[in-house]
Structure formats: C-alpha cells, structure tokens
C-alpha cells in the first residue's frame, strides 16, 4: 500500500496501474482502507513509526510526535538511525538490519523488548518496542510500536524508595516481619526478626523448628492460634515466649493473617512481631509488690495521663517526694562507659538548690555499680557513718545529702539509672516499708516509661505506615484541579485510619476516594492497606461503580477482613463529559458548591463497608460545571468542637465552604476550611483530619 499510492494534495493516485481502465470499486475500497489506516495512526496512544527497507521513516503518528518532539514532516524520509536511535545503539541497529536482509531473521522482530530511545533534543529515555515486518509488493516494510516507559520507571523507583523507607522504619523500631509459605513450609524473616529471635541470618527455619524455639508452656497455644486463624480466616494474634540459644527468655507480640487461592486453600501467612520483653518483665516484677498497690495508685494518678517518658519520671519523683516528706527525690541516669551521670528535673524542698545537671563519674572516685551488689538498694541512714571516698563525701555535703535511699534500675543487665530519695541536713532511719515503697515506685515508673516508649514506637510505626500507604495524587487530571489535605490529631490521640486516594482508571477516568477505617494505631493502618488495595483492584476491573463497591463489601464481610468497618466516599470522574459518578458508604456527606453559589449535599448511598454482608449500593451521578467546587472530608473535621455537645457538623462546614472567596486557590481553600474548623474547636481536634477538594 505504501508504494502503490502517493498523495497529491488530498488526492490518492495509483501510480502502478497496469491498464488505463481503472477498477473504480477497487479504488474506492483502497481509499477507504487508506483512510482507515490514517485514522488509526491519528488516534493511537502508542507511537507508531514505519520505515522502509532503507531504514527511512515513512510514517510517524501524532503519538510519536508528542513523545519524540519531532513533527511528522521533520521525520519523513529521514533515517531512523539518525533521529530516534541513540548513538550507542546505531551500529547494533545497522548490523541487525543487514542480518535480517541476509538471513530473513531478526533478533528483535515480533518481540516486546525494552531499549533506550532518543528525543529530538538528544535526551534518552526508556521505551517498550515491538517491531513487525510486512512484505508489500515485494518490499519489506517495518512497523515499530513504541511505548514511553519514563513514567513507569519513575513510579517503580518511587515504590522502591517507599518500600525501603518502610523497611528502615521497621528495622529501627524493633519490629520484625515474617512470611510463612504453607505449601513449601518455609519461613522468610526480616533482619530484625532474626535479631529478635537470637538467631543468625544463615538459619533456614521451618515452622517445626520455630516451635522448638518457643517456650514449652506456649507451644500448644501458638499451634492452636495458627490453626484457628487459618480455619476461621481470622487474625493471628498472640503473645508468646521465645528461648534464645543462651537460654534467655524473650516475649513477642505476634499478629498476622492467612492468604488463600481461588480454591479457598490457604497458601501462606504474613505478619509482624514486636519485642515486648521489657514490658512483660516490668509487669511481672510489678505484681510482686501487691502489698503497696494503694500507695502506688496514689503516685499513678500523677503519671497515668502522661505519655512523655521524662514527664512521667518527673511526676513520679514529685509525687513520691511529697508523699514521703523528704527533702529530695530524683532520677539519676548513668552512662558508665562514657563516665557520665545525668540528673533531670528533681523534686526538692523549698529553698533547696537543684541537683539537675551532668556530672563526671570519675570525679567522685567511685563505680556506681559497686554500691548495688546483686541489684540491691543502697541504704544510707547517715553519710557520716559511711566510708565514702573523700571526693564523694565532700560532694554530698556540698549538695546537702545527709541520708539517702537509692534504688538501682538496670537495662540489659547494666546499671542505667537510680531513683533516690534523700534528706538534706538530718539523718533518717529508713523503714522496711519505706524501702519497699521506693523500690515499688522505681519499678512502676520504669514500667510506665517503657509503656510510653512502646506507645511512641507504635505511633511512629503507624505514622510511617500511614505515610507510606498514602499515594501521591496525579500531577494532572484533565479538566479537574484537586487538593488533598491531611492533619494528624494531637499527640495524646492515636493514629487513625483516615485516607484518600486519587488514581487513573484509564486515559479519561480518574478515581477520587476518601475514607475512614475504624480503630486506631497499627491495626487501623493495616486495615487501611487492605481496604485501599482491594478498592483499587475492584475499580481496575472496569465493572460498574455500584457493582464494584457491592462486590468489595461482600469480600470484606464474607472473609472477615475487617475487625471493624470503614466509611468511604468513592467516585469516578470522567474528563470527557465532566461527570462524577459516586457511591458513599456511610461516609460524611460530600458538599458541592456550584459556581453560582448554590450548595448541594452528596448523601450516603448505603451503610459502611463491612457492616452488612448483603448490602447493595446504588451509584449516583452529577455533572460538574466550570468553577464548581467539591469538598470531601472525614469526621475528624465535621466533629471538631470544644465538647461533644457542640460540634461543627455539616452545617458549619457548609458555612465555611460557601464563605470562601471565589478567587482563592484550591489548596488555600482546603487550608482555610481546616483553619476555620480549628477556630470553632479552639484549636483542639480529637481525631485525624483528611480533606480532598476538587474544582473544575
């Protein structure tokens, strides 16, 4: 066809007619075929480049123009080697070309390969290439189908970096991940998991070998928990003890779930484990001091509302000092290898100088561990009767410490701190009850500090997971501007399950999603990952929106994939006709401000996901006009308020949305609405806030 036709203006002329009498029917058919071919080239999304047996470009479609930066006229008749092929590959191209015409075979023909290509400006970029040869009137014509892989490689790089960040976060926070292949009976562990089990990374474990490492009293419970999880398709959730090769016992909190194939056969389990040894040890030690529960509760009132380790220690020292009517009460922290002792904010009687500061241990000519043989409490009724080194005795007199009790606190078998109560100028004969009380408070405070640190670690993990799972919105949606906004709650509140998602379904349709998973912390983050990924899956399958959401709800409920429920507003924007089709599953009403100021609410179409197994959802559709503004949000915004009896609500959000200046940018509009909610609530948000705004 390429040699039998040529163009003069807009007319196709047959230049190889064998007779002066033309077959008009054949000519009409040929012209229709040529028109169809041209139309295909015009609308194709992939680059289509055709070259002849001399390597000269004969066709260059619009997609190729956009990708390579050339116009069609600039390429026709030019050598593909000199235009589109990078210099480093030109000799290989020439050799392959010659090899084909010599043998009829080509190493890249009829295959999908990845190679670099070159734009007009000389820059190179990755492409997927398929070359097909065709014989036309005795000449070989090559058609190349080319797809730009630049965006794909960037997404792959971003995903890899996100996975690496998550891996580093898990390693730094002493969380191990594991995967058990049920068919091959092999376990795959993260590096931190090996460390938590006290094993080297050259071990190739099986479930049976792992059970041998579990404490004998816990083995049956672990096996039963696994069996129940796989049988009931429920969460594997258990605390267990593991015995290290050195005989030490370590506590793990393990969570996981099973995965199943199309035949409903369990193929593998995945989960994570957290080392909770210190917390368990503190709990066990604390139980041995039951006789002082009443006194501990008094101190507990001062520290139970705190989450900061330093604040807990300061509050504990203050409460204990007041209760015992001593002159001083403080925590000392030791770094013996660094020759350092540090005292934080201390309790002291009015008029007493503070001991807070950093000291050099060697200046006192003592080893603090020598005063606590076998972990015993140091009991000093009167420093004058003790044979302390002269520098230490002088320091105690200068700092006004006459009598003292010092309870040691150990970390990994090494002295890390002491809790001290002291009298400044008088002797004191400490009773057994007082000694036991200080020891109990030291233990209680240590337990509270470890719990606070564990909560901080969990919060950091959940925050990292939430950030890693929150995808970046597309840079451009044809005909639609978007502005997401996330704001975490106060530090004393746990990380929630709020999320948004914006992604392309095809070249013209984009999903805009916002949701809220019930629960807090790591559990909510894990549920968020499940829901978001499954939601993407059902939407990618191109079923009608209402059917996709109904199917997702059935999967979540039938397989018990949610421990609670999730509200979600799922919509699909079609850029060809500016329509927004949506399904709201028990979510907060969407708010649409029309360009003329009119306000519409997009109410729920059914219950939250995971609540009703047989729930069916009905999609609704609206058309967005120029300058229409859509506000989607989670209940952390609508439930902002000083008290539960005075919430901002939908009415307040409508007031904020309709009051926005028309010339305000969309990101500024989102921030203005959140700021307005904060003003209403006097700056206090009880829950995470997630906002997704769109404007045509």
């Amino acid at each position: 066809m390429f040699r039998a036709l040529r163009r003069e203006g807009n007319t196709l002329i047959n230049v190889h007619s064998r007779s002066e009498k033309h077959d008009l029917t054949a000519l009409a058919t040929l012209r229709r075929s040529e028109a169809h071919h041209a139309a295909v080239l015009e609308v194709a999304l992939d680059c289509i480049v055709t070259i002849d047996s001399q390597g000269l470009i004969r066709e260059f479609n619009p997609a190729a123009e956009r990708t390579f930066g050339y116009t069609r006229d600039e390429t026709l008749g030019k050598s593909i080697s000199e235009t589109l092929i990078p210099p480093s590959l030109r000799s290989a191209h020439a050799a392959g070309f010659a090899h084909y015409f010599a043998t009829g075979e080509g190493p890249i023909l009829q295959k999908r390969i990845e190679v670099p290509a070159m734009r007009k400006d000389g820059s190179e970029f990755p492409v997927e290439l398929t070359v097909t040869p065709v014989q036309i009137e005795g000449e070989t014509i090559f058609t190349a189908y080319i797809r730009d892989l630049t965006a794909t490689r960037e997404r792959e790089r971003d995903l890899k970096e996100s996975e690496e960040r998550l891996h580093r976060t898990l390693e730094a926070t002493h969380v191990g991940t594991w995967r058990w292949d049920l068919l091959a009976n092999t376990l795959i562990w993260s590096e931190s998991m090996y460390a938590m089990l006290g094993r080297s990374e050259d071990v190739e474990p099986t479930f049976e070998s792992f059970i041998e490492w579990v404490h004998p009293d816990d083995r049956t419970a672990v096996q039963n928990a696994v069996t129940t999880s796989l049988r009931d398709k429920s969460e594997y959730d258990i605390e267990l003890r593991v015995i290290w090769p050195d005989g030490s016992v370590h506590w793990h909190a393990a969570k996981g779930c099973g995965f199943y194939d199309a035949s409903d056969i369990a193929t593998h389990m995945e989960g994570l484990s957290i080392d909770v040894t210190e917390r368990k040890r503190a709990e066990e030690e604390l139980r041995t001091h039951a006789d002082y529960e009443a006194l501990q509760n008094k101190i507990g009132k001062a520290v139970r509302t705190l989450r900061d380790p330093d604040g807990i220690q300061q509050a504990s020292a203050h409460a204990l000092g007041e209760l015992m009517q001593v002159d001083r009460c403080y925590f000392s922290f030791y770094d013996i290898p660094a020759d350092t002792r540090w005292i934080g904010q201390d309790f002291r009687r009015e008029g007493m100088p503070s001991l807070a500061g950093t000291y050099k241990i060697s200046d006192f000519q003592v080893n603090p561990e020598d005063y606590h043989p076998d972990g015993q409490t140091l009991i000093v009724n009167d420093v004058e009767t003790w044979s302390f080194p002269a520098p230490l005795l002088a320091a105690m007199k200068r700092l006004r410490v006459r009598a003292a009790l010092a309870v040691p606190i150990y970390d990994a078998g090494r002295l890390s701190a002491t809790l001290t109560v002291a009298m400044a100028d008088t002797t004191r004969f400490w009773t057994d009850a007082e000694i036991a009380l200080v020891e109990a408070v030291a233990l209680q405070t240590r337990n509270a500090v470890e719990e606070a640190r564990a909560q901080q670690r969990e919060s950091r993990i959940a925050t990292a997971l939430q950030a890693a799972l929150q995808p970046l919105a597309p840079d451009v949606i044809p005909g639609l501007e978007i502005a997401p906004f996330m704001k975490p709650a106060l530090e004393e509140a746990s990380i929630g399950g709020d999320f948004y998602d914006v992604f392309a379904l095809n070249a013209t349709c984009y999903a805009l999603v916002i949701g809220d998973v019930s629960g807090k912390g790591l559990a909510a983050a894990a549920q968020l990952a499940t829901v978001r990924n499954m939601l993407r899956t059902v939407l990618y399958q191109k079923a009608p929106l209402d059917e996709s959401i109904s199917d997702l709800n059935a999967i979540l409920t039938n397989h018990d994939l949610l421990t609670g429920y999730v509200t979600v507003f799922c919509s699909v924007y079609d850029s060809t006709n500016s329509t927004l089709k949506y399904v709201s599953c028990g979510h907060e009403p969407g708010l649409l401000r029309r360009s003329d100021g009119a306000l519409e609410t997009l109410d729920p179409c059914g219950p939250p996901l995971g609540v009703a197994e047989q729930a069916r959802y009905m999609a609704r559709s609206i058309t967005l006009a120029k300058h229409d503004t859509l506000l989607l949000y989670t209940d952390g915004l609508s439930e902002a308020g000083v008290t539960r009896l005075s919430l901002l609500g939908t009415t307040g959000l409508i007031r904020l949305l309709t009051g926005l200046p028309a010339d305000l940018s969309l990101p500024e509009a989102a921030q203005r609405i959140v700021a307005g909610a904060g003003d209403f609530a006097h700056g206090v948000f009880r829950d995470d806030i997630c906002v997704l705004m769109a404007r045509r």
Side-chain angles (χ1 to χ4, degrees), residues 219 322 334 350 402 470 562:
R219 290 172 185 170
E322 285 190 337
Y334 297 94
E350 185 176 356
R402 179 71 183 270
Q470 190 61 63
L562 291 178

Side-chain angles (χ1 to χ4, degrees), residues 172-174 274-275 278-279 306-313 331 333 342 409-411 416-417 445-461:
T173 49
H174 307 290
I274 303 174
D275 190 327
E278 291 303 315
R279 175 172 63 83
L306 299 175
R307 295 293 180 268
D308 172 57
D310 291 338
I312 290 174
Q313 291 160 349
F331 282 90
F333 302 92
W342 175 77
I409 299 173
Y410 293 89
D411 186 9
S416 60
T445 304
R446 177 190 178 189
N447 184 54
V449 167
E450 288 300 315
E451 186 69 25
R453 288 171 178 166
Q455 291 177 357
Q456 288 179 341
R457 287 196 295 268
E458 180 173 329
S459 178
R460 287 194 295 268
I461 294 170

